[in-house]
Amino acid sequence: EGQLVAFGGGSVQAGRSTRLSCVASGFELRHLEIGWYRQTDGSGCRMISSLKVDGAIGYLEYNHPLKGRLTISRANANNTMSLDIRNLKPDDAGMYYCAASSRLTSICGASNYWGQGTRLTVSS
């Protein structure tokens, strides 16, 4: 049975960059659409961005506060997906989830594979 295991996150100072990653086992990320979601107490769980199999951006919310400061990527060689966030702000804090699916949706948890989440806190 396949799974996604998240790592990265933790406490990072505002203004710095961080990388959140998930490593897949039991399946190959290269054949699936991948995405990242964030859950906060105030806004619930929302999709941040996704990447299609061909490398095209699948989803990036137009007014998302992270727009312009993030890069979603996959590394087929080590079956890993990542989310790089630059110029971190305190409002970027939350629980970040990775997901992979034959067809991702904006609904949190509704994917073939869903990571356990990694918490990011941003100190000012």
Side-chain angles (χ1 to χ4, degrees):
E1 185 174 337
Q3 63 174 346
L4 282 168
V5 177
F7 56 98
S11 181
V12 184
Q13 194 172 16
R16 294 187 177 272
S17 300
T18 194
R19 167 169 285 191
L20 311 176
S21 297
C22 283
V23 59
S25 61
F27 67 98
E28 291 189 66
L29 281 172
R30 72 178 72 200
H31 300 304
L32 300 173
E33 190 171 336
I34 61 173
W36 285 91
Y37 301 72
R38 185 178 69 168
Q39 184 171 29
T40 63
D41 292 338
S43 302
C45 187
R46 298 168 63 183
M47 176 183 265
I48 300 171
S49 183
S50 70
L51 198 65
K52 295 186 176 182
V53 173
D54 63 2
I57 296 294
Y59 176 86
L60 180 61
E61 188 174 298
Y62 181 78
N63 290 320
H64 200 287
L66 282 168
K67 186 179 180 182
R69 297 190 288 115
L70 66 86
T71 302
I72 181 174
S73 61
R74 77 175 86 213
N76 294 334
N78 54 16
N79 214 19
T80 302
M81 57 184 286
S82 296
L83 179 71
D84 294 301
I85 309 174
R86 300 173 291 279
N87 190 21
L88 281 163
K89 304 178 187 304
D91 286 346
D92 295 334
M95 183 70 83
Y96 285 76
Y97 296 93
C98 59
S101 193
S102 53
R103 184 175 179 180
L104 280 178
T105 72
S106 61
I107 301 173
C108 292
S111 61
N112 297 131
Y113 304 98
W114 183 260
Q116 86 281 16
T118 183
R119 184 168 293 280
L120 174 67
T121 58
V122 182
S123 58
S124 57

